[in-house]
Amino acid sequence: MAGVNALQWLTLTRHGESTGNLAYQAVEGTDAEEAGIPERDADVPLSDTGRAQAATLGRWLAALPEDERPTVVIASPYLRTVDTAEIALAQTSYAAPHDPGGVRIKVDERLRDREQGALQGLTARGVQNRFPEEADRLRRLGKFYYRPPGGESWADLALRLRSFYRDLQDGAPGGRALVVTHDAIVVMTRYLVEELTEKEVMAIEKEPVANASVTRWRHDGTGLAAVCYNDCAHLTGTPAPTAPRRAAGRGAS
């Protein structure tokens, strides 16, 4: 994919734990049909744990070798992602305002979470009970191509991300980008960079992308090569997961 292959480093991180994450965890395994999140999705804040995760992520960023430090930071416009980026960069010496000429956070709506439309805030039980025809359609079409009423499919994410990464090629001075975003965007970036199939990316999606985890690619002279995926070593001290296969081929962007 031409846009991303112009980069020297591409690093993605999911936002820290949010109150929305906690709300879904609280109803998991119950008969609840809704997660009970009062805010619109764009306004869901970080939890206290999420803010601590963002600070820990920032200390990892601060410790990066100079030639790996991001030269541009782009975040989803959602509150939980912007706050993660701001808290993290505040831990470094090379970001504004610590360095007046340092890296600043840009916001891009193409990095927002996948829109659920009419199903927003519902549990799987809630979808089955309130929209049984949609539950049937999901099973028939499969997760990758299913688009909820008023929402987006995973394939729709690929379309807006192709546009984002094409623009990033010209908007990343120094060639080292940090993207602060959502789990679905991390997964679909792998789909694009590594030129995966529907089957491959949906198998990857079954493993949750952890809050404040890191996924990275580095240019090896021919294209972006995978360094790590869903890496939480900076949060837990455990070894990083095995890196996924390197990006193969140079498909159209």
Side-chain angles (χ1 to χ4, degrees):
M1 186 179 177
V4 289
N5 284 322
L7 298 171
Q8 295 303 306
W9 279 94
L10 174 61
T11 301
L12 269 68
T13 185
R14 186 187 179 194
H15 60 80
E17 180 189 78
S18 70
T19 58
N21 297 148
L22 293 177
Y24 273 105
Q25 291 170 18
V27 299
E28 187 174 358
T30 72
D31 293 335
E33 295 187 359
E34 298 183 16
I37 300 171
E39 305 92 352
R40 64 174 188 159
D41 196 25
D43 297 329
V44 172
L46 294 174
S47 67
D48 290 342
T49 295
R51 298 181 70 83
Q53 289 171 335
T56 301
L57 173 68
R59 290 189 287 274
W60 174 81
L61 289 170
L64 285 175
E66 188 170 351
D67 62 356
E68 294 184 25
R69 294 174 180 175
T71 54
V72 62
V73 178
I74 315 98
S76 155
Y78 286 13
L79 178 63
R80 55 191 180 275
T81 43
V82 172
D83 281 357
T84 297
E86 289 180 345
I87 292 169
L89 287 182
Q91 306 298 312
T92 74
S93 61
Y94 55 82
H98 302 296
D99 178 357
V103 64
R104 297 177 182 273
I105 300 169
K106 300 179 180 180
V107 169
D108 196 303
E109 71 283 346
R110 290 171 293 185
L111 295 173
R112 70 189 185 278
D113 206 358
R114 186 171 73 93
E115 295 184 357
Q116 302 288 335
L119 309 186
Q120 184 67 43
L122 298 182
T123 64
R125 181 181 291 273
V127 173
Q128 182 62 58
N129 290 347
R130 299 184 187 185
F131 297 93
E133 70 286 354
E134 291 301 321
D136 290 342
R137 197 160 66 90
L138 170 58
R139 285 188 288 268
R140 187 168 63 254
L141 294 177
K143 182 179 287 188
F144 189 80
Y145 289 110
Y146 169 74
R147 181 187 294 122
E152 294 178 295
S153 68
W154 287 77
D156 290 330
L157 296 187
L159 294 178
R160 59 171 152 103
L161 284 175
R162 289 184 192 278
S163 167
F164 169 75
Y165 285 118
R166 280 195 298 269
D167 291 348
L168 183 60
Q169 177 179 357
D170 298 323
R176 301 190 298 272
L178 170 65
V179 175
V180 185
T181 186
H182 307 269
D183 52 356
I185 301 299
V186 175
V187 171
M188 287 307 293
T189 296
R190 278 197 65 181
Y191 171 78
L192 295 177
V193 175
E194 299 168 33
E195 299 177 347
L196 302 178
T197 65
E198 173 191 352
K199 182 178 180 180
E200 287 171 331
V201 75
M202 288 294 95
I204 290 168
E205 188 272 334
K206 292 178 181 178
E207 174 192 354
V209 177
N211 294 113
S213 63
V214 169
T215 297
R216 309 186 80 196
W217 295 266
R218 181 181 185 179
H219 205 287
D220 65 358
T222 60
L224 286 177
V227 174
C228 63
Y229 173 63
N230 202 13
D231 181 3
C232 296
H234 56 292
L235 300 173
T236 65
T238 58
T242 302
R245 67 176 180 85
R246 75 176 298 280
R250 296 291 158 258
S253 62

